Amino acid sequence: MPGSTNFLTRNKSIILYGVFLAALLFLLKWLELRFLIINHAFEIYAGSIAIIFTALGIWLALKLTSPKTILIEKQVFIEQPENFILNKTALARLNISKRELEVLQLMSEGLSNQEMAERLFVSLNTIKTHNARLFEKLEVKRRIQAIETAKKLNLIA
């Protein structure tokens, strides 16, 4: 090992100059980077904001345009047999009159309010009143819902 100490002592000045030059080069590169950032600060900030908003826009577009699957379950009722039996307990529980039941039957045939009024020999306002009471008793908002609920409860064929 005496040769290695001899090498260090012999080249001590060269090694010191090398370390000093490396430190000076590091300092110059650091200053160059610093001046580059100072001189182009606006461009750097604007570019970083543009990148952030671009990424945010892409993420938001993917969230908004992704298809959403909605599963709707609806009961399908099979046609009633030919021998229809009126559910009198449901009729009594809902307090539906015979005339309202007739209106409900005509509604299921697809007749308009005017046609129902002519067939039952009553005024149009009477039919509208029966409809409103039926919707309230069956807890529905539309004719189709009323017919569907009535068929489900075996009130109409």
Side-chain angles (χ1 to χ4, degrees), residues 26-143:
F26 176 76
L27 180 66
L28 287 174
K29 285 295 181 183
W30 180 75
L31 287 173
E32 180 185 355
L33 180 64
R34 197 158 173 249
F35 284 125
L36 181 70
I37 290 174
I38 290 172
N39 288 340
H40 301 290
F42 177 75
E43 290 85 0
I44 292 171
Y45 291 135
S48 61
I49 289 173
I51 289 171
I52 289 170
F53 275 104
T54 301
L56 182 66
I58 291 170
W59 175 79
L60 188 62
L62 289 175
K63 286 292 183 185
L64 291 177
T65 59
S66 65
K68 294 181 175 99
T69 304
I70 299 173
L71 180 64
I72 299 174
E73 290 186 24
K74 185 174 182 181
Q75 292 180 338
V76 177
F77 294 100
I78 301 171
E79 288 292 322
Q80 296 292 334
E82 291 181 20
N83 51 354
F84 172 74
I85 301 171
L86 179 66
N87 186 355
K88 293 184 180 182
T89 57
L91 197 64
R93 181 176 49 87
L94 293 173
N95 196 21
I96 295 176
S97 69
K98 288 185 179 186
R99 186 57 104 176
E100 289 171 343
L101 189 61
E102 289 176 358
V103 169
L104 190 59
Q105 183 64 40
L106 293 174
M107 191 186 301
S108 71
E109 292 175 15
L111 298 179
S112 68
N113 287 345
Q114 185 65 43
E115 292 169 334
M116 285 189 267
E118 290 171 1
R119 190 174 290 185
L120 296 175
F121 304 106
V122 294
S123 72
L124 183 62
N125 287 333
T126 305
I127 294 296
K128 289 180 181 179
T129 303
H130 287 314
N131 283 344
R133 287 187 182 156
L134 276 170
F135 292 170
E136 185 178 312
K137 290 176 181 179
L138 294 173
E139 297 176 356
V140 296
K141 294 183 180 180
R142 300 191 183 346
R143 284 176 165 232

